[in-house]
């Protein structure tokens, strides 16, 4: 009883704002902070056909622990309409099928050594003022950290190969991945059934909801199940 009375008194007591931590512009913020400057470094990137494109990379020096976390977003708005349905499948297998001269086992070891892991996902940004033409879509590549001498350059090479030279001709590996992804997405109906149903119900509201549901909702669960069934039928 005494403890309950004490707790009630503590809750009813008026708070003293002077005990809260505050920053004073006069004593806590250095007025002589030097702004961090950056330089635009031009780089040249070649595609598979030999064409080259010039890009600007922002280089900025700042204190850090020596680890670089990379977030690379590749715009996909201009992908042909007949290829767009395959973007979710592509985002699910990139980074797991091997790339360039490396098979998926060698790539996994190289990525773990240089980047600590790479994830690929579909990224969609909602439009301002409901303008459907301003929906930004793309593939988002994220690394868990590039550190150590030579790892930064090697990590960028791995990311380049993952995007530009995935080994999609490794049919057995693709079949295994599709089966695993289909099973995982089917299991999500149990774990995220309410969320998936809500996404499906909101799809008719606008173009952004419809696209998000198409790429990550119930249609994708059904699509991967059908793809897995077709892959198994081809084996038989």
């Amino acid at each position: 009883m005494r403890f309950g009375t004490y707790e009630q008194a503590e809750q009813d007591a008026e708070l003293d704002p002077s005990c809260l931590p505050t920053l004073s512009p006069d004593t806590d913020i250095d007025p002589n902070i030097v702004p961090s400057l950056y330089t635009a470094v031009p780089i040249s990137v070649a595609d598979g056909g030999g064409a080259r494109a010039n890009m600007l990379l922002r280089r900025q020096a700042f204190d850090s622990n020596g680890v670089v976390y990379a977030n690379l977003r590749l715009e996909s708005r201009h992908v042909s309409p007949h290829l767009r349905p395959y973007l979710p499948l592509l985002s699910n297998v990139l980074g797991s099928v091997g790339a360039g001269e490396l098979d998926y086992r060698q790539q996994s070891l190289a990525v773990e050594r240089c980047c600590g892991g790479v994830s690929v996902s579909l990224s969609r940004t909602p439009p301002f003022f409901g303008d459907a033409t301003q929906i930004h879509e793309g593939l988002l590549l994220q690394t868990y950290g590039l550190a150590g001498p030579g790892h930064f350059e090697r990590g960028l090479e791995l990311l380049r190969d993952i995007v530009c030279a995935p080994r999609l001709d490794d049919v057995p590996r693709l079949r295994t991945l599709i089966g695993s992804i289909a099973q995982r997405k089917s299991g999500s109906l149990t774990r995220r059934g309410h969320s998936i149903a809500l996404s499906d119900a909101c799809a008719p509201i606008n173009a952004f909801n419809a696209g998000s549901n198409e790429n990550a909702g119930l249609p994708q669960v059904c699509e991967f199940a059908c793809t897995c069934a077709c892959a198994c039928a081809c084996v038989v």
Side-chain angles (χ1 to χ4, degrees), residues 220-235:
Q220 273 305 303
V221 177
C222 300
E223 185 68 27
F224 272 99
C226 292
T227 305
C228 180
C230 292
C232 294
C234 291
V235 174

Side-chain angles (χ1 to χ4, degrees), residues 7-222:
E7 286 291 317
Q8 186 65 42
E10 283 287 314
Q11 294 179 16
D12 294 340
E14 186 175 349
L15 295 178
D16 180 11
S18 64
C19 66
L20 299 176
T22 58
L23 288 176
S24 170
D26 300 324
T27 59
D28 297 315
I29 300 177
D30 185 358
N32 300 316
I33 295 177
V34 179
S36 179
L37 303 178
Y38 70 90
T39 56
V41 182
I43 60 174
S44 182
V45 180
D47 62 15
R52 305 190 73 84
N54 293 320
M55 304 171 59
L56 290 178
L57 180 68
R58 175 170 171 165
R59 176 181 293 174
Q60 184 169 351
F62 56 90
D63 295 332
S64 73
N65 59 358
V67 178
V68 178
Y69 300 94
N71 293 293
L72 307 178
R73 188 172 179 277
L74 308 175
E75 191 68 43
S76 62
R77 285 187 300 170
H78 307 296
V79 175
S80 301
H82 70 284
L83 295 176
R84 295 184 66 80
Y86 297 100
L87 284 176
L89 174 61
L90 181 65
S91 68
N92 274 277
V93 301
L94 278 184
S96 301
V97 292
E101 300 297 324
L102 306 178
D103 62 24
Y104 70 92
R105 298 182 186 87
Q106 296 168 330
Q107 178 190 275
S108 177
L109 291 174
V111 166
E112 191 66 30
R113 187 179 301 115
C114 296
C115 312
V118 172
S119 67
V120 185
S121 60
L122 280 179
S123 169
R124 305 186 81 241
T125 304
F128 294 103
F129 309 112
D131 185 359
T133 62
Q134 296 301 313
I135 296 177
H136 294 282
E137 301 177 325
L139 288 174
L140 180 64
L141 280 80
Q142 298 176 296
T143 68
Y144 300 112
L146 304 171
H151 284 187
F152 181 75
E153 291 77 8
R154 179 54 180 155
L156 291 182
E157 291 175 359
L158 288 171
L159 293 178
R160 178 201 62 197
D161 289 342
I162 287 173
V163 174
C164 300
R167 299 184 67 167
L168 300 178
D169 56 344
D170 188 350
V171 176
R173 177 60 176 168
L174 275 177
R175 189 178 291 119
T176 300
L177 287 173
I178 290 173
S180 175
I181 296 166
Q183 184 177 10
R184 186 172 69 246
K185 288 190 175 292
S186 296
S188 68
L189 292 175
T190 303
R191 300 188 305 273
R192 301 175 47 245
H194 179 74
S195 174
I196 292 175
L198 185 61
S199 173
D200 200 57
C202 293
I205 295 178
N206 54 44
F208 181 78
N209 287 354
S212 298
N213 184 59
E214 189 71 27
N215 289 336
L218 187 59
Q220 273 305 303
V221 177
C222 300

